[in-house]
Amino acid sequence: MPCGAASCACALCSERRVSVSCVMNPAWRQQGRGRAQVRGQSTGDPSVARPPAAVRLEVRGRVSVVHTHTQKMSTLSKFDEIRKADQASAQRLAAEKHSSSSSEDDDEDECEGKRGKILQSALCPYTSHTGDADAGLLEQTTSFIKHEVCQSGGVTCLICIASVWSCVGCYCIFHITCVQKWAEDSVFLVSSVTDEDFGKKDHPWPCPKCRYEYSREKTPSRYYCYCGKEAEPAPDPWLLPHSCGQVCEREFKPSCGHHCLLLCHPGPCPPCPKMVSVSCLCGKSSRVPRRCSAKSWSCRQICGRTLPCRIHSCADMCHAGECSACPQVSLQACACGRQQEEQPCANLEWHCDQVCGRPLSCGNHTCERVCHSGVCGQCPRAGNRSCFCGKTKSVLPCTVDVPTCGDTCGKKLDCGLHTCSMRCHKGACETCRQEVEKTCRCGRYSKNVPCHKEYLCDSKCNKTRTCGRHQCKRKCCPGNCPPCDMKCARMLGCRNHKCPSVCHQGSCYPCPVMVEVHCDCGSTSITVPCGRERSTKPPRCKELCRKLPSCHHSSLEQHRCHVGSCPACKQRCGHLLKGCNHLCPAPCHDQVLVKSSEQVMLAGPWEQQSAPAFIRTALPCPPCLVPIPTSCLGEHEVSPVPCHSCGPFSCSRPCGRILTCGNHSCCLECHRVTAAPHSDKIKAGKECVKCEEGCSKPRPAGCIHLCALPCHHDKCPTCTQMIRQRCHCKISNLYIECLKFTSADDEGKELLSSCQNQCPKQLSCGHRCKLLCHSGECEQICSQKVKLRCSCKRIKKEFPCSQVRLEDRLLACDETCRELQNKHAESRAAEEKAVLEGELRKQQAELEAFEKRQKGRRKKSRKVTEVESEEGVWLKYKHCLLVPVCGLLLAVAAFYLLQLTVQ
């Protein structure tokens, strides 16, 4: 589609009609000001599209007619000069011829060539000064001008077919009122799904095309020019539509400190054209002048900067940023210095798996950190420590654990209303289990439930949600039913996609997807709105047809890319016939039109028989008639047979081949014989009859078994029969090969008759014999290890059993044992004395407390009489009870000390 103007009107409101031109020149090359758009003024047929020069010619021509009687003669003469220059430029571009594959594509090729020439002339200032400028930097600007601006309807609103507001992400133009409605609806849908307090959060809204997100404050409320300097720009026929006519001055992306020098324009700004003097990426080369947009360049030399390891230098070519990690390997010590390993130089510090273990400053604990550098730090248990509830602080040695204070915990529970009633304890507090009366969310019912649980009743809301299609159905609904959270899923107008928004009222927004319609080979494509690809004719393609032949040939006659099937192949079949190596001489018959054999049943006599249907199918190749000389199955004679029926046959003669035994021959009728390679043809094959007589050859000396093979020519195989025999210990049955046993000597037979298990016989000492299964009597020297202890059970050693039996008192107590015994006796006596004294003090305290309670009690009597108090049971029998209790305690203490001594 040629480059031209796209004019359209909004379907939802009456705003200005737009005509878009694609002229983009630097500020110093722009002459005059002009706008081809006036609010409320029509610009002609919206389907007409022309090159930019022709657009300016048409606009200026019409403006000239409108203002003929109002402009001065100087203005008219200046306008005529500019018009003549534009006409000459357009004629010069139109005079150039462009090649075309067919006469039908001449117009399209010519227009495409004009568009390319005009676009090249507009962007030439950015590539004429530097020959090695990066051509990819102009790709975004060129693509927007060529595929968005220079198409009829390309720069139009996706919502209502108008163009006023431009997105900063994709530079697509929208009608300002439609964008405002789109933003409000988008925020409403997102807020209705995610917000419990609907409408109180600030949600962004996306662009309908590229989904670039804007905040609610960035919703367009006023009409600005493209560069954003002027609000409500006045229409001017000399300027680009919606342009203020001033220098753009928007900052380039990526930011370089310079600003765009074009006049206010749509779409992205071109790459920065400023010339700067820069050095290479590594800074070794001298400065050279380059475009600011392509100022990063490499001198292709080795970087050579010292790497962080301070041993090696960077071996990469001139590059930007930090150097890559050092790839070399060196011997490095770990952080604690205990181990050394080969590590990459990039790893400046590595840690082994060993625990530090150095003593801390307290002298009681060791460092538990794994391989670290520097000092270990203070003991984690030093200083003031609090109890678990935090109410009591104490200064204790690091070897002593902080005890619980015994007070109530008092920490706030997760409910935030109650406190923990447990004693000072370790770990987290339990959940609040106090029963409180709670009212459900809808306010209908109340119930006593644990404080940490929420009470919801089972009643469901029957109100209709805001979408008007679904009921709330939420349990225990408080009345403010949330917006519908189900997907709309209604089919959009494109009939390809479904509405992805949540369920809503009214009609869905149009499908924003753009679909490419390709030619048959896929090299040529056009972009159309989704849903229009079904009715759009594929574009014409200049490439050759790339379809694979439908037949078995490798290629067909060359022809242009087309829609539908390729013409039928006229080449010779040349296919290898089935069952032979001859080629088919018939024409290609892979795709032949044949009459369909399917018969359609008529519904009645009023229906007429339809014309026979033809289908394309592959016909089989004709049979091969080449005569082939063929021999019989037994290779007794040779006869000519047609190739298609060629095959081995029997001549009815006897086979006569010698069997494998070498004594008989095959008596079967002529049959196929599969002979071994490089073998004589008189020898029998596996298909011949086999000799079934037994073998009569003599057996080896000592073997009593017969040969298991039938009559054969070679030597008899070795005997594989097994002999059953008892082992030396008479426990296991052994199965030994006949050949191995008969050919072995006495020592070998002794070894074969052993089961190789430990001898089950017992020695005189009571231990089991350590030798393997053997013949004869067992040796009486026992090597079993026996553990012996000294008399105090402290020293323990192992001795051979034979030595223990021969010698007495091998292990005696030493001086250390005697010292330990004395210490144990002294400690046991001290403990018994301490226990006895503690028990006496406790009994004395209980007795004094009991006497105080007895003296404090006074019985009240209505009669004024004095009653003498009787002596209690404890006072009477305390001496009888204390003696057995003390004896029992002494016995327990003595038993405990005895156990400690034994251990």
Side-chain angles (χ1 to χ4, degrees):
M1 188 174 292
C3 174
S7 63
C8 53
C10 180
L12 303 180
C13 56
S14 58
E15 282 288 344
R16 64 169 60 89
R17 299 169 65 87
V18 182
S19 175
V20 179
S21 175
C22 67
V23 178
M24 293 177 61
N25 283 330
W28 59 83
R29 300 189 61 190
Q30 296 284 352
Q31 296 183 4
R33 302 178 62 200
R35 176 182 287 274
Q37 182 70 32
V38 181
R39 185 184 299 272
Q41 178 182 356
S42 174
T43 59
D45 188 3
S47 62
V48 178
R50 301 177 181 84
V55 173
R56 294 198 298 271
L57 174 63
E58 179 185 5
V59 172
R60 293 167 183 170
R62 292 183 180 179
V63 173
S64 176
V65 174
V66 172
H67 299 280
T68 301
H69 301 288
T70 59
Q71 299 290 339
K72 296 180 181 181
M73 293 303 295
S74 60
T75 305
L76 291 177
S77 61
K78 183 178 180 181
F79 182 82
D80 291 338
E81 291 177 2
I82 297 174
R83 182 179 62 181
K84 291 178 181 179
D86 290 342
Q87 287 179 351
S89 178
Q91 290 176 1
R92 183 174 64 258
L93 293 174
E96 298 181 4
K97 295 183 179 180
H98 305 277
S99 61
S100 176
S101 59
S102 62
S103 58
E104 298 178 357
D105 299 336
D106 288 343
D107 295 337
E108 296 183 5
D109 295 341
E110 182 179 0
C111 184
E112 191 72 25
K114 294 176 183 178
R115 185 189 310 169
K117 289 290 184 181
I118 295 172
L119 187 60
Q120 182 179 0
S121 64
L123 299 177
C124 66
Y126 297 95
T127 57
S128 60
H129 295 283
T130 54
D132 58 344
D134 188 7
L137 297 174
L138 294 172
E139 183 177 356
Q140 185 181 13
T141 304
T142 305
S143 176
F144 179 80
I145 297 174
K146 190 173 182 180
H147 299 291
E148 297 290 341
V149 178
C150 299
Q151 290 186 7
S152 179
V155 190
T156 59
C157 176
L158 295 181
I159 303 174
C160 68
I161 318 176
S163 53
V164 169
W165 178 80
S166 177
C167 173
V168 299
C170 61
Y171 303 101
C172 186
I173 299 178
F174 302 91
H175 198 248
I176 192 168
T177 55
C178 296
V179 169
Q180 292 173 350
K181 185 175 183 301
W182 173 273
E184 292 177 0
D185 294 347
S186 301
V187 172
F188 174 79
L189 292 176
V190 175
S191 179
S192 62
V193 174
T194 59
D195 291 358
E196 295 182 0
D197 48 351
F198 176 70
K200 293 185 179 180
K201 293 184 179 180
D202 189 9
H203 295 281
W205 58 274
C207 170
K209 183 177 181 181
C210 67
R211 301 299 174 184
Y212 183 87
E213 290 190 350
Y214 296 87
S215 61
R216 186 178 293 183
E217 292 78 12
K218 292 185 180 181
T219 305
S221 58
R222 297 187 65 186
Y223 165 48
Y224 286 90
C225 62
Y226 295 117
C227 65
K229 293 181 181 178
E230 185 176 346
E232 301 291 340
D236 192 335
W238 291 89
L239 295 179
L240 194 70
H242 312 294
S243 174
C244 63
Q246 305 177 25
V247 179
C248 177
E249 293 187 353
R250 284 184 290 183
E251 191 173 359
F252 288 112
K253 295 181 181 180
S255 179
C256 62
H258 303 125
H259 298 81
C260 180
L261 300 178
L262 299 179
L263 296 183
C264 181
H265 61 89
C269 296
C272 181
K274 290 284 187 179
M275 299 294 294
V276 294
S277 179
V278 292
S279 180
C280 64
L281 296 174
C282 65
K284 293 183 178 180
S285 300
S286 58
R287 293 177 175 269
V288 295
R290 294 180 63 88
R291 289 282 185 187
C292 181
S293 57
K295 60 184 177 182
S296 298
W297 64 283
S298 175
C299 64
R300 303 295 180 182
Q301 298 181 12
I302 301 299
C303 175
R305 284 182 284 186
T306 304
L307 297 176
C309 65
R310 299 181 181 180
I311 301 175
H312 307 98
S313 59
C314 180
D316 297 338
M317 297 183 66
C318 177
H319 60 87
E322 297 292 336
C323 298
S324 58
C326 181
Q328 302 294 333
V329 177
S330 61
L331 187 64
Q332 299 181 15
C334 63
C336 64
R338 296 182 181 179
Q339 296 184 6
Q340 287 187 350
E341 292 183 2
E342 287 190 351
Q343 295 288 336
C345 285
N347 298 341
L348 300 179
E349 183 178 359
W350 68 280
H351 301 270
C352 64
D353 298 334
Q354 296 184 8
V355 179
C356 177
R358 286 182 287 184
L360 297 177
S361 58
C362 64
N364 298 319
H365 301 93
T366 57
C367 180
E368 298 179 354
R369 296 166 58 188
V370 177
C371 185
H372 66 90
S373 58
V375 298
C376 297
Q378 297 293 331
C379 179
R381 297 168 60 91
N384 293 338
R385 288 183 286 170
S386 302
C387 64
F388 300 103
C389 66
K391 295 180 179 179
T392 303
K393 292 185 178 180
S394 58
V395 179
L396 296 174
C398 61
T399 57
V400 180
D401 294 334
V402 178
T404 57
C405 64
D407 197 359
T408 305
C409 177
K411 294 181 182 178
K412 278 282 187 179
L413 298 177
D414 295 338
C415 64
L417 301 176
H418 306 99
T419 57
C420 179
S421 59
M422 298 175 61
R423 295 284 185 183
C424 180
H425 60 89
K426 296 181 180 180
C429 300
E430 297 181 351
T431 56
C432 184
R433 302 184 181 278
Q434 295 192 24
E435 293 273 341
V436 294
E437 185 178 1
K438 288 190 176 183
T439 306
C440 65
R441 189 165 54 186
C442 63
R444 297 183 181 179
Y445 308 99
S446 60
K447 185 180 179 181
N448 288 333
V449 295
C451 182
H452 67 279
K453 292 185 178 180
E454 184 182 3
Y455 174 52
L456 299 176
C457 65
D458 295 333
S459 59
K460 292 184 179 181
C461 180
N462 295 325
K463 294 182 181 180
T464 305
R465 296 192 177 184
T466 55
C467 63
R469 298 168 59 189
H470 306 98
Q471 289 184 345
C472 178
K473 293 297 182 182
R474 186 171 65 160
K475 285 187 177 182
C476 195
C477 181
N480 54 342
C481 300
C484 187
D485 55 354
M486 300 180 66
K487 277 195 174 183
C488 177
R490 286 184 288 187
M491 187 64 69
L492 298 177
C494 63
R495 313 306 300 172
N496 292 330
H497 306 94
K498 293 183 179 181
C499 181
S501 304
V502 294
C503 190
H504 58 86
Q505 294 180 349
S507 58
C508 302
Y509 284 106
C511 182
V513 180
M514 299 297 290
V515 182
E516 289 187 354
V517 178
H518 297 268
C519 64
D520 193 76
C521 66
S523 58
T524 307
S525 63
I526 57 175
T527 304
V528 297
C530 181
R532 205 178 295 176
E533 68 274 7
R534 302 185 188 91
S535 59
T536 303
K537 185 179 179 181
R540 295 182 180 273
C541 182
K542 303 175 185 178
E543 302 291 335
L544 295 177
C545 180
R546 302 176 186 175
K547 290 183 179 179
L548 297 176
S550 56
C551 59
H552 63 276
H553 292 103
S554 60
S555 61
L556 297 175
E557 295 181 358
Q558 293 185 355
H559 55 282
R560 293 293 179 88
C561 178
H562 60 87
V563 181
S565 58
C566 295
C569 180
K570 301 296 183 181
Q571 305 178 46
R572 182 181 176 183
C573 177
H575 200 72
L576 207 64
L577 293 176
K578 188 176 182 181
C580 65
N581 296 327
H582 302 110
L583 302 179
C584 178
C588 182
H589 47 81
D590 286 348
Q591 295 290 329
V592 181
L593 281 174
V594 296
K595 186 177 180 181
S596 178
S597 60
E598 296 182 359
Q599 295 183 358
V600 181
M601 299 297 295
L602 301 179
W606 58 86
E607 288 190 359
Q608 297 182 359
Q609 187 73 27
S610 60
F614 290 88
I615 59 174
R616 290 187 178 272
T617 184
L619 298 180
C621 296
C624 184
L625 301 177
V626 178
I628 303 296
T630 309
S631 62
C632 67
L633 295 173
E635 298 182 359
H636 302 126
E637 63 180 26
V638 178
S639 301
V641 179
C643 183
H644 72 277
S645 61
C646 178
F649 62 95
S650 176
C651 63
S652 301
R653 298 178 184 178
C655 177
R657 291 177 179 261
I658 300 175
L659 300 179
T660 55
C661 65
N663 302 320
H664 308 89
S665 61
C666 181
C667 59
L668 298 178
E669 188 179 348
C670 179
H671 62 89
R672 183 186 299 276
V673 178
T674 304
H678 309 290
S679 63
D680 195 358
K681 293 185 178 181
I682 63 174
K683 291 185 179 181
K686 61 181 181 179
E687 292 85 0
C688 296
V689 69
K690 296 182 180 180
C691 185
E692 297 180 354
E693 296 182 4
C695 178
S696 58
K697 293 184 179 182
R699 303 297 295 161
C703 180
I704 59 175
H705 306 102
L706 298 177
C707 180
L709 297 179
C711 180
H712 57 88
H713 180 69
D714 299 331
K715 294 182 179 180
C716 295
T718 57
C719 182
T720 59
Q721 298 292 332
M722 306 298 289
I723 299 175
R724 180 179 176 182
Q725 186 174 354
R726 286 271 186 174
C727 64
H728 297 298
C729 57
K730 308 300 180 181
I731 293 178
S732 302
N733 289 327
L734 303 179
Y735 292 88
I736 310 171
E737 294 183 7
C738 175
L739 178 63
K740 186 183 294 186
F741 189 79
T742 55
S743 60
D745 53 2
D746 295 340
E747 185 178 355
K749 290 181 180 180
E750 176 76 16
L751 182 62
L752 291 174
S753 299
S754 174
C755 62
Q756 299 300 320
N757 294 326
Q758 186 179 355
C759 180
K761 300 176 184 178
Q762 286 188 351
L763 302 178
S764 59
C765 62
H767 296 120
R768 187 176 175 180
C769 180
K770 295 294 182 179
L771 300 178
L772 298 180
C773 178
H774 60 88
S775 60
E777 296 295 332
C778 298
E779 296 181 1
Q780 295 300 322
I781 300 176
C782 181
S783 60
Q784 179 71 27
K785 295 291 184 178
V786 178
K787 294 181 180 179
L788 292 182
R789 291 178 179 270
C790 64
S791 58
C792 66
K793 308 298 182 180
R794 188 184 70 85
I795 303 176
K796 179 178 65 175
K797 288 186 180 180
E798 292 184 351
F799 296 94
C801 179
S802 58
Q803 184 180 359
V804 173
R805 295 176 58 194
L806 296 175
E807 301 180 13
D808 294 336
R809 299 184 60 83
L810 292 175
L811 193 62
C813 292
D814 54 2
E815 293 297 331
T816 305
C817 295
R818 298 187 189 93
E819 292 178 0
L820 291 176
Q821 290 176 0
N822 296 334
K823 289 182 180 180
H824 284 312
E826 293 174 359
S827 62
R828 181 171 55 196
E831 288 179 0
E832 290 177 358
K833 184 178 180 181
V835 170
L836 183 59
E837 290 177 356
E839 187 66 26
L840 293 175
R841 285 195 298 270
K842 184 177 178 182
Q843 293 176 0
Q844 184 66 25
E846 290 179 356
L847 180 60
E848 292 176 358
F850 180 77
E851 291 176 353
K852 288 181 181 180
R853 286 196 300 270
Q854 291 296 330
K855 291 179 180 180
R857 293 180 181 178
R858 294 291 184 269
K859 294 184 179 180
K860 294 182 181 180
S861 177
R862 295 181 181 178
K863 298 179 181 181
V864 184
T865 57
E866 292 183 357
V867 180
E868 293 182 358
S869 58
E870 297 181 357
E871 188 176 3
V873 178
W874 169 253
L875 296 176
K876 288 183 178 181
Y877 306 104
K878 62 180 181 180
H879 297 290
C880 299
L881 294 175
L882 286 176
V883 172
V885 169
C886 293
L888 180 61
L889 292 175
L890 289 174
V892 171
F895 177 77
Y896 178 70
L897 292 175
L898 182 61
Q899 291 294 328
L900 290 177
T901 304
V902 173
Q903 292 180 358

